[in-house]
Amino acid sequence: MTFDEMRGRASALTEELAGKLKKKLPYALQKAQGLSFIPYTVKDGEWASGPANEGICWWTNGFWPALMWAGYRLTGDNAYRAEAERAEAMLDDAFRDFDGLHHDVGFMWLISAGVNYALTGNDDSRKRLMLAANLLAGRYNPAGFIRAWNGDRAGWAIIDCMMNLNLLYRATDLTGDPRFAAIARRHADTAQRYFVREDGTCSHIVIFDPVTGEMLDDPAGQGYASGSAWSRGQAWAIYGFALSFRHTGNEAYQKTARRVADRFIEEVKTDWVPKCDFRQPADSDLKDACAGAVAAAGFLELAEQTGEERYFEAALHLLKALDETCADWTEDSPAIVTHCASAWDGDHDIAMVYADFYFAEAVLRLAGDEFRFW
Ligand code: GLY
């Protein structure tokens, strides 16, 4: 079945969710007007920033402008575009800081400046995109991976980086310079080999010897324990490997995305709101709705690539569960998706702006928007 046929069958749900977004996003925008920080979460009914010590370099700071671009795509209202551009300009301070930057420059600039450049041709946005791509390429270790973080963690790589690779693919598309995509492919090959297990689960962090590339350890990271299955990490893998297939045509990446996706479906199919970690203790019911939002967008990508209805159905189940059991469509909060967990060992039951972005991205995809953020 074609993706358009699948979409056609879901038109009632699409219309309902798009209608709810159109009603809620003006409030999200109104509550952000004039803020001197970029929204990450919500405290006492007001937008709140990421951790103070991370400042403008906080890794989620691209998702707010991306959500505003999603609002613009959904409605054509220039107020969303103006806010996206305001936030994009705020991010310039992160380039100036430099020391606080990390591999999430993909999340920060591909879906802010990258979207602006794709939609408007703004040359300042192109320069921001290329500056970010060069920063990410500069984090590549020829032992075969992109280092995630700074300080003494030279050999640390994380599964989330699969989404940052899209910045490198875009840089090659824009410049014709193959180095960026070559780095992305090398990292994806390493991630495929060392992060993804036979059973379709994956590690959050893998620590390599930064000189030899030998795998040394796979600590719990944001998940429950070493060897467990942090659900948002599984969602990054599904979407990230699927997009690496889209950008390279390498079927091994799609096969990996399917392996993780099939396991994810087995783990969530009772209520479609992911546990924070699929291997967390049985007496814990800690949920991460954000993993469901990321996975929904990833499942739609896989459904379009493969024509397989089960991936499309999984996306619908996840979106319905978010809508019915996790979404706040009122004005009690400027955010939509609640019940997110920043980490097993982190903040629980919170809003996180990237959950709202992936939810909106998935609804746009269902609605037939041809634009691709990644
Ligand atoms: N480490 C990125 C995330 O929280 O998903």
Side-chain angles (χ1 to χ4, degrees):
M1 187 181 274
T2 69
F3 189 65
D4 278 345
E5 285 164 345
M6 292 185 237
R7 284 198 316 100
R9 287 201 331 216
S11 60
L13 178 70
T14 305
E15 211 173 301
E16 185 189 337
L17 297 181
K20 285 178 168 175
L21 281 170
K22 284 180 191 165
K23 276 200 184 128
K24 180 72 189 251
L25 286 177
Y27 187 66
L29 172 60
Q30 180 197 317
K31 296 296 279 183
Q33 295 291 301
L35 292 181
S36 59
F37 60 85
I38 296 179
Y40 160 59
T41 186
V42 175
K43 290 194 179 122
D44 301 324
E46 303 289 338
W47 283 123
S49 69
N53 63 329
E54 301 272 355
I56 193 65
C57 293
W58 177 235
W59 76 277
T60 69
N61 277 345
F63 288 106
W64 171 250
L67 179 63
M68 292 296 97
W69 282 117
Y72 176 72
R73 296 294 300 177
L74 199 61
T75 64
D77 185 338
N78 278 317
Y80 295 114
R81 174 179 167 175
E83 175 63 7
E85 289 172 339
R86 187 180 82 93
E88 180 186 328
M90 286 169 80
L91 285 175
D92 286 350
D93 279 347
F95 285 133
R96 282 187 277 274
D97 176 87
F98 176 74
D99 287 340
L101 286 175
H102 34 65
H103 71 144
D104 286 328
V105 292
F107 284 123
M108 290 174 74
W109 279 285
L110 177 58
I111 54 177
S112 58
V115 173
N116 194 348
Y117 179 61
L119 293 178
T120 73
N122 177 6
D123 203 48
D124 284 341
S125 298
R126 180 190 61 78
K127 288 177 186 166
R128 289 171 176 132
L129 185 76
M130 287 310 304
L131 190 46
N134 277 278
L135 287 171
L136 186 56
R139 301 185 73 85
Y140 180 66
N141 182 323
F145 62 90
I146 293 172
R147 76 175 281 180
W149 299 315
N150 302 336
D152 60 0
R153 293 172 290 184
W156 292 48
I158 71 173
I159 193 67
D160 324 26
C161 193
M162 287 306 301
M163 292 300 289
N164 289 320
L165 302 185
N166 298 301
L167 172 64
L168 299 174
Y169 296 128
R170 179 72 58 80
T172 287
D173 290 346
L174 286 181
T175 60
D177 182 338
R179 292 174 303 149
F180 301 101
I183 287 172
R185 284 197 305 272
R186 286 288 304 276
H187 180 90
D189 291 345
T190 299
Q192 195 163 238
R193 179 164 173 207
Y194 290 102
F195 283 74
V196 184
R197 309 178 190 117
E198 267 313 303
D199 69 357
T201 63
C202 55
S203 303
H204 177 205
I205 297 173
V206 173
I207 303 177
F208 298 101
D209 180 312
V211 176
T212 66
E214 180 197 354
M215 179 175 165
L216 301 177
D217 200 4
D218 62 338
Q222 286 165 258
Y224 169 64
S226 174
S228 71
W230 176 51
S231 61
R232 200 158 64 248
Q234 319 304 297
W236 294 137
I238 294 166
Y239 204 3
F241 278 107
L243 287 167
S244 269
F245 168 72
R246 179 181 281 277
H247 287 294
T248 65
N250 181 343
E251 287 181 5
Y253 298 148
Q254 190 191 70
K255 205 168 151 201
T256 298
R258 293 167 73 120
R259 183 144 52 102
V260 183
D262 293 344
R263 163 57 51 184
F264 195 98
I265 291 171
E266 285 307 305
E267 299 288 349
V268 298
K269 67 184 182 189
T270 47
D271 68 358
W272 297 97
V273 182
K275 290 182 175 170
C276 175
D277 192 308
F278 296 144
R279 300 284 172 273
Q280 69 196 35
D283 62 1
S284 167
D285 196 33
L286 180 63
K287 298 286 195 175
D288 178 30
C290 184
V294 176
F299 277 118
L300 290 178
E301 175 67 31
L302 261 187
E304 185 168 15
Q305 289 180 10
T306 63
E308 286 197 28
E309 285 176 69
R310 67 204 172 94
Y311 295 133
F312 190 78
E313 292 301 325
L316 295 188
H317 281 301
L318 289 163
L319 291 172
K320 272 192 227 166
L322 288 171
D323 174 37
E324 288 165 12
T325 66
C326 303
D328 182 342
W329 297 112
T330 74
E331 295 193 352
D332 290 343
S333 165
I336 298 166
V337 180
T338 63
H339 303 313
C340 303
S342 68
W344 170 259
D345 200 8
D347 295 322
H348 298 163
D349 222 8
I350 59 168
M352 301 195 305
V353 67
Y354 49 125
D356 289 12
F357 165 71
Y358 283 101
F359 185 90
E361 189 201 358
V363 173
L364 278 172
R365 178 76 72 96
L366 280 180
D369 191 349
E370 299 284 325
F371 182 74
R372 296 287 174 267
F373 285 82
W374 308 98

